[in-house]
Amino acid sequence: MIIMNLQTVMRTPAVFWRKFSNETVNIGSTIFALSSGQGKCGVAVVRISGPHAKKALDKMTKISKLESRRAYLRNICHPESGEIIDKGLCLWFPGPNSFTGEDSVEFQVHGGVAVLSALTSALSDLRFKPALPGEFTRRAFFNNKLDLTEIEGLADLIHAETEQQRKQALLQAQGNLSVLYSSWRATLLKCMAHIEAYIDFGEEENIESQVYENCNRELQQLADKIGKHLKDGRRGEILRNGIRTVILGEPNVGKSSLLNRLVHRNAAIVTSIPGTTRDVVELTTNICGYPLLLSDTAGLNKSTDDIIEIEGIRRARTQASTADFILLVVSASEYMKTREKFQEYLESYITSLDLQDLLIKDGQLINNCMVVVNKIDLMNENERMELRKNNLVGISCSCEQGFTELLESLGSHFKAICGTPSAEDPTISQERQRNLLQGCHECLLKYLQIIKSKNYDVVLASQEIRKATRELGKITGHVSTEEILDTIFRHFCIGK
């Protein structure tokens, strides 16, 4: 409930929202909502926030001496009739030390429909207003308790389905990205303030040209840092959205059987008839804590005349061209018929499937492709040894062999794609963040290019720094030109 309309909030800086806050949310009013899950449950949490939140405790409980952050087990009564609604825990969080930054109250009561209905009716009688979707989080944003990156992290944490997603979202919700971007923005503000001071007050205040040169050096270093940050392979976004994984191979090689094993259910039809799968079958699963968007595809058969199978093959290639990871399935029985070395067979196999442009780069198999040899139950020990020498994973879907090694190998590949979330190396997790960072980076590069030219106008060049600052400020949601003046006064004491 907290995050339902966050996309609207995230598009707009906090300054803009504060300007129109009375129209978008009920600023100044006291709001309430069920903050725990919907439906019958053992315990339900009802949150109240606003200037008159304490009134709920005064009118509905008999707490004689109220202490902040202390749980009181009390009868919770209707404020007018005095009838007991339920017995539960009551907590008081005075602002600004609360989630929203306002005075807040929580009632933890039994999660029955009738109890919650009576409690919300009583709160309405106190002239409190039901909270709009996401309104608690928006108030936290207005009161500088959270910035937009932290809000995005909170939303991702609520929706995280795997362990690695949880780790990344938690780091972001705790301000991991916020600290990094705020430090970069502080550098931009400082440099902009120094450059503007140099332009406006250089002669009369004897501000040395070295100040200007130092700023340019810092801006070059910052541009390098942002550029490196952007060259991350989109690992944070892939982890957040799921690793798009496509299973490719010739007909009847065991692609659908592999899909069923990885998702732990019979999701795709499996028969001995080649070409059973005609369309792309997409499912989600969790492997080693990484989220997968797993796609089974039609067998790649160049000799078919079946119009439906041809369309299935076209869709398979389209799916593979945009995939983050590819599982190429090879049949052990077909390999053994050739009597070739496996590397030679693999090259001819990829050529027969017409996948050279997709899977081969500089004469080598691309890193984001893994070869899986199915039907190893038909191989002898020497043949299996050859697979292991080539660092290949062999499995048997029918006999359920080799899946422990397969999962371990997949986990290593996914770690290489997504990395491991850490506080020391924060990653971009949203396309919105990346677009704004790219805008900031482009402005910095343009500024650095302008100042290298002869007879450039430093006033016009400095506008690029201002644009870069604004783009970076949009990521966290805080944009204010007044901060530049504050920085000037703090560093140069102009007008003292």
Side-chain angles (χ1 to χ4, degrees):
M1 177 174 179
I2 299 175
I3 311 296
M4 287 176 65
N5 281 349
L6 283 181
Q7 291 300 322
T8 304
V9 181
M10 291 172 186
R11 295 192 192 103
T12 313
V15 170
F16 179 92
W17 277 110
R18 290 191 182 96
K19 183 177 179 181
F20 296 100
S21 58
N22 288 332
E23 298 177 17
T24 55
V25 293
N26 300 312
I27 296 296
S29 63
T30 300
I31 57 173
F32 69 91
L34 175 66
S35 290
S36 53
Q38 298 287 339
K40 296 178 181 178
C41 55
V43 176
V45 179
V46 175
R47 174 181 288 168
I48 306 156
S49 181
H52 304 295
K54 189 171 178 287
K55 186 178 178 182
L57 293 172
D58 296 337
K59 298 287 187 178
M60 300 174 68
T61 69
K62 295 182 179 179
I63 301 173
S64 56
K65 186 178 179 182
L66 187 63
E67 296 181 26
S68 63
R69 291 170 187 75
R70 179 179 175 182
Y72 296 88
L73 180 63
R74 294 288 189 276
N75 288 330
I76 301 171
C77 306
H78 193 281
E80 295 178 0
S81 67
E83 181 182 0
I84 297 174
I85 297 171
D86 194 13
K87 187 174 185 178
L89 293 178
C90 312
L91 296 97
W92 163 237
F93 302 96
N97 299 316
S98 67
F99 174 74
T100 60
E102 303 173 323
D103 288 350
S104 298
V105 169
E106 282 187 6
F107 288 136
Q108 298 182 12
V109 296
H110 295 98
V113 174
V115 172
L116 292 174
S117 177
L119 182 56
T120 55
S121 176
L123 293 172
S124 295
D125 289 343
L126 288 174
R127 301 295 185 269
F128 296 166
K129 296 183 178 181
L132 299 172
E135 191 168 357
F136 289 108
T137 306
R138 278 185 281 188
R139 290 193 176 198
F141 176 56
F142 297 152
N143 293 320
N144 293 317
K145 304 295 289 187
L146 297 171
D147 70 16
L148 292 188
T149 62
E150 292 168 324
I151 290 173
E152 287 169 320
L154 179 59
D156 289 347
L157 188 60
I158 291 171
H159 295 293
E161 296 181 348
T162 72
E163 179 64 9
Q164 298 301 325
Q165 283 180 321
R166 180 195 66 80
K167 288 181 178 179
Q168 176 173 276
L170 181 61
L171 286 169
Q172 189 169 325
Q174 290 176 334
N176 191 239
L177 276 179
S178 177
V179 170
L180 178 65
Y181 296 158
S182 294
S183 68
W184 289 351
R185 187 162 174 266
T187 299
L188 283 173
L189 287 170
K190 183 185 75 172
C191 289
M192 182 158 44
H194 287 189
I195 290 172
E196 292 192 1
Y198 174 73
I199 293 169
D200 296 336
F201 307 99
E203 295 182 1
E204 54 191 73
E205 295 292 334
N206 296 320
I207 298 175
E208 299 178 0
S209 61
Q210 185 180 3
V211 170
Y212 180 57
E213 294 170 1
N214 289 339
C215 285
N216 290 338
R217 192 179 303 111
E218 286 190 56
L219 291 171
Q220 178 65 66
Q221 292 171 351
L222 180 58
D224 293 341
K225 289 179 183 178
I226 296 176
K228 183 180 178 181
H229 186 61
L230 286 166
K231 294 177 181 178
D232 61 351
R234 295 181 178 268
R235 63 181 189 268
E237 292 147 282
I238 292 173
L239 177 56
R240 176 180 179 268
N241 298 321
I243 305 168
R244 294 170 299 170
T245 303
V246 176
I247 305 175
L248 295 179
E250 63 185 359
N252 208 30
V253 78
K255 300 184 299 299
S256 297
S257 297
L258 176 58
L259 175 87
N260 290 343
R261 295 296 180 192
L262 291 176
V263 300
H264 305 291
R265 62 189 179 92
N266 293 324
I269 297 173
V270 176
T271 73
S272 59
I273 303 171
T276 302
T277 302
R278 301 295 187 93
D279 204 350
V280 177
V281 178
E282 293 182 310
L283 295 165
T284 60
T285 189
N286 175 0
I287 293 181
C288 300
Y290 293 95
L292 259 69
L293 302 176
L294 193 59
S295 300
D296 181 23
T297 61
L300 302 179
N301 181 9
K302 291 167 61 175
S303 61
T304 183
D305 294 325
D306 188 317
I307 189 171
I308 299 176
E309 196 171 357
I310 291 173
E311 176 60 20
I313 293 170
R314 187 195 67 79
R315 294 187 182 190
R317 293 182 185 280
T318 301
Q319 198 81 1
S321 66
T322 59
D324 301 313
F325 189 71
I326 293 173
L327 283 170
L328 180 64
V329 185
V330 177
S331 171
S333 59
E334 293 300 316
Y335 157 62
M336 289 187 296
K337 292 177 184 178
T338 65
R339 300 298 178 183
E340 295 178 316
K341 289 186 177 180
F342 189 84
Q343 196 60 39
E344 295 174 356
Y345 172 76
L346 181 61
E347 291 175 5
S348 61
Y349 181 69
I350 292 174
T351 301
S352 69
L353 300 179
D354 197 20
L355 294 175
Q356 308 95 303
D357 59 331
L358 186 65
L359 302 184
I360 303 297
K361 185 177 182 180
D362 298 328
Q364 300 291 327
L365 191 69
I366 60 173
N367 292 329
N368 288 359
C369 177
M370 177 178 167
V371 178
V372 179
V373 181
N374 188 26
K375 306 179 184 179
I376 60 167
D377 53 301
L378 303 178
M379 303 177 78
N380 60 40
E381 187 56 36
N382 289 334
E383 290 165 332
R384 294 188 188 188
M385 282 290 293
E386 185 181 348
L387 294 181
R388 287 193 283 271
K389 286 179 182 178
N390 285 279
N391 296 318
L392 296 167
V393 175
I395 63 169
S396 172
C397 291
S398 60
C399 299
E400 299 186 17
Q401 296 177 6
F403 278 88
T404 300
E405 293 79 8
L406 173 63
L407 294 177
E408 288 177 355
S409 184
L410 286 173
S412 298
H413 278 90
F414 297 155
K415 184 177 180 180
I417 293 172
C418 299
T420 302
S422 68
E424 295 76 25
D425 186 21
T427 56
I428 304 165
S429 64
Q430 305 268 350
E431 185 179 357
R432 180 191 75 89
Q433 298 165 1
R434 184 174 297 278
N435 290 339
L436 290 169
L437 273 175
Q438 286 173 337
C440 173
H441 190 236
E442 288 168 6
C443 290
L444 281 176
L445 293 179
K446 188 174 181 180
Y447 169 80
L448 294 168
Q449 184 180 10
I450 291 173
I451 63 173
K452 289 179 182 177
S453 60
K454 292 182 179 180
N455 302 321
Y456 67 89
D457 189 331
V458 67
V459 176
L460 292 177
S462 66
Q463 292 303 310
E464 296 301 324
I465 308 176
R466 187 181 295 275
K467 291 177 187 176
T469 306
R470 185 170 295 276
E471 291 296 292
L472 196 56
K474 289 177 184 178
I475 299 177
T476 56
H478 298 92
V479 177
S480 174
T481 54
E482 293 177 3
E483 291 184 48
I484 302 167
L485 297 176
D486 293 339
T487 306
I488 293 174
F489 297 151
R490 183 169 64 251
H491 284 273
F492 291 93
C493 300
I494 295 170
K496 183 176 179 181

